[in-house]
Amino acid sequence: MESIGTLNPSMEFDNSQEGELEPLIQIQPQECDLDQPIAVDPLGHDSTAVLLANPPDDCPVSGEGRELVAAAAAVDMEAAAEVACGDLHEPAMGMEFDSPDAARAFYSAYAERVGFRIRNSKSFTSRVDDTVIMRRFVCSKQGRPTKKDPFDLTKKRRNRTSSREGCNAMLQVNRRENGRWAISRCVLDHCHPLGVIPKQSPSVQKKLAKKPWELLVSPATEPQQSGLGPGGGVAQSLLEYFKRMQAENPAFFYAIQVDRNNCVSNVFWADARARMAYSYFGDAVVFDMTCKKNKRMVPFATFTGFNHHRQLIVFGCAFMTDESEASFTWLFETWLGLMSGRWPVSFITAYNESMAVAASKVFLNVRHRFCKRDIFSKCKDKLSDVYSIHPSFKAEFKKCVNECESAEEFDSCWRSLIDRYNLEDNIWMQALYAIRQKWIPLFFRGTFFGEFFGTPKMETMHKFFQRHSITTTTLRDLVTQFDKAMAGQYEKELQADFDANHTRPVLKTPSPMEKQASEVYTKSIFDLFQEEFAGSSGFLKEKVADGVEYMYRVTKTEDASKAYMVTYNASNKHITCSCFMFEFSGILCRHVLGVLIVVSVLTLPDDYILRRWTKNAKSNGLSCEDRGLCQSNSRKALAWRCNDLCRDAIKFAEEGATSAVIYKVAKGALQKAFAEVLATKKGSFFNRPGKLLFI
């Protein structure tokens, strides 16, 4: 297999190769109804709870019933002793827990004793680091039943009564600065009778004990047929959905992996849009499994990237019930085979040993690294004691990771950090230093990842699910909701394409270079370029070497201690900077732009305009490079022509749907072209050798 793209001055993405698709493994999957009320687990009193001496004073009073707020009377010492012993029968303001799960367990045990069920409600995340800072648990009868239109016969609904009665009973916990969770709001009164909760039947309890994705695998005692036993299960409806998608769109692809018991373990699928997007923007790929943060969500994984508007795009999806090295290897090989064996330039995964080994086996010539955000997230757990004792550690740690310009500077900063906070024997910090080549930005700046420092983080799939309220735990419903969300994502891309071609950004200078950039780049990329271009005026440029290659020392006007070295070759217009922004992000940095102005280069050299960031990013990649393959009638040639026509058809549809007038023209042209195809096909049939022609 050849690399999908290589690093060169033009940073172009080679997407000319096509390959034969592997045959699909199709299984008749199963269906299972999980829409059952979840009972509260009867937990004990072992949840650690401590009553704060000073409860929070910023908790508002809202809702009906008896609500405990910060302004309530202080709890006496006797109640505090009861809390410490775990014998307190009711939640109280100021109670503190180790985690939100511990708070939920306490509230669940209380609900079990009193006689009601609870469920999760709202949660808030921090704007600083995207971590959860508030969790709310409510009575199962909270809220009102949704109004249904009895005359809407298009929707099939089960005829059942609603359990919602508008109950306001709830418990809310907020995260403290010390990392613990304290009750900030609590309503104890209910608007409905309380009593003994009826026990679930053994069959229902057995089903509820399993996570939804565990229902993929049939019990070993059941007879197996194509990996699934008779009677159906969750995988039935899922793969029947895939079969229907493939019938509607022959370019839709899905594959499954089975375990030693011949049961379904992993599922992968991708549509024509994903494959076409990869042909344009497959240079930087992220393997995203952040949906695992929701423990009740199926283990959903995606191959993602970003388009020329820096919007999230998907190259393929998978359900991973087995996260072994062999499973990741199978998934990576299946996905790469679907993408015609074209490697990306860079590949990002979470910090996981099995993923890393599988990636090293499959992506041989690809720069693989771990997600820095994932490592920082793990640090909150691995270094929780350091974070709580030393509030300044977090900022110093991130500065050491992000701002070091050389290996020597990083080593010095790291040793200083270790010594200052007495972390010489910390195993986690030792492990992070051992893999520094895999996650510290300093060590992979020369490879294209398409990221920009100082800009908002790219959206993870976990955030994408939250934004689109994808919370279902059944496989079929999740895929359906995900497809709808991605349809909205495609519409946003089309709207951004239209805006880029029909609007002009405001220029800040009369420079021809800025004007040129506004004409070739998309709006989001031009905004980043314009920021770099405007910032170039704040630097001093000192020539330190002359000859065939000029070398400039570029420093800030107000601070000359930190210097960047820019080298420019006038003969071939090759220019590099020690910050490696172009190699890493794909646009020229402010240091290079300032030097170009000094050497009287008034427009951007063509080699430094990366096509994947331009308005015409999707205008190439559809030509037939292999004429011999195109003219052949082999199975491989048939697959190649089908894929090529699918990509053209999708692009035709996107352009043809932009307005009613254009749609009418596109529809007429398509019908005319289809009639010509049928006529040519019919003519070629009657003109084949051996056919008798009647005139």
Side-chain angles (χ1 to χ4, degrees), residues 383-425:
L383 303 173
S384 58
D385 54 339
V386 182
Y387 275 57
S388 59
I389 298 174
H390 305 287
S392 61
F393 173 78
K394 180 179 179 181
E396 292 185 33
F397 183 44
K398 288 191 174 183
K399 182 178 180 180
C400 176
V401 170
N402 295 324
E403 298 184 11
C404 291
E405 295 288 339
S406 65
E408 294 77 12
E409 181 184 357
F410 171 76
D411 288 339
S412 175
C413 184
W414 187 274
R415 285 195 299 268
S416 175
L417 196 70
I418 295 296
D419 295 340
R420 186 179 303 113
Y421 295 101
N422 299 318
L423 300 174
E424 294 85 355
D425 299 327

Side-chain angles (χ1 to χ4, degrees), residues 501-571:
N501 291 319
H502 294 84
T503 59
R504 291 290 179 267
V506 178
L507 304 182
K508 296 181 179 180
T509 69
S511 169
M513 185 179 294
E514 185 185 14
K515 183 174 184 293
Q516 175 197 17
S518 69
E519 294 172 349
V520 298
Y521 286 134
T522 60
K523 182 182 184 304
S524 59
I525 300 303
F526 174 72
D527 289 343
L528 296 172
F529 173 86
Q530 192 176 50
E531 182 179 351
E532 293 295 319
F533 188 78
S536 64
S537 60
F539 286 81
L540 299 175
K541 300 89 180 176
E542 177 188 359
K543 184 186 290 187
V544 295
D546 207 344
V548 179
E549 287 189 347
Y550 303 115
M551 183 175 291
Y552 287 84
R553 184 175 184 271
V554 182
T555 58
K556 287 185 177 181
T557 306
E558 66 278 4
D559 181 16
S561 60
K562 195 169 187 177
Y564 300 90
M565 304 307 296
V566 177
T567 304
Y568 174 69
N569 190 315
S571 60

Side-chain angles (χ1 to χ4, degrees), residues 646-667:
C646 284
R647 285 193 296 265
D648 280 332
I650 292 175
K651 185 171 180 60
F652 182 85
E654 290 176 347
E655 297 294 336
T658 53
S659 70
V661 176
I662 297 177
Y663 167 78
K664 186 176 181 180
V665 174
K667 189 72 172 179

Side-chain angles (χ1 to χ4, degrees), residues 104-124:
R104 191 187 193 283
F106 172 81
Y107 195 41
S108 298
Y110 166 74
E112 183 74 14
R113 293 193 304 271
V114 175
F116 67 97
R117 292 191 178 99
I118 70 169
R119 58 182 171 85
N120 295 335
S121 183
K122 294 181 180 179
S123 64
F124 292 154

Side-chain angles (χ1 to χ4, degrees), residues 361-393:
K361 290 180 178 179
V362 179
F363 302 105
L364 301 179
N365 298 327
V366 178
R367 185 60 185 270
H368 167 253
R369 73 172 175 91
F370 297 124
C371 176
K372 184 176 62 175
R373 187 188 311 183
D374 177 68
I375 290 182
F376 279 144
S377 178
K378 287 181 170 65
C379 285
K380 296 172 186 175
D381 177 48
K382 302 289 186 179
L383 303 173
S384 58
D385 54 339
V386 182
Y387 275 57
S388 59
I389 298 174
H390 305 287
S392 61
F393 173 78

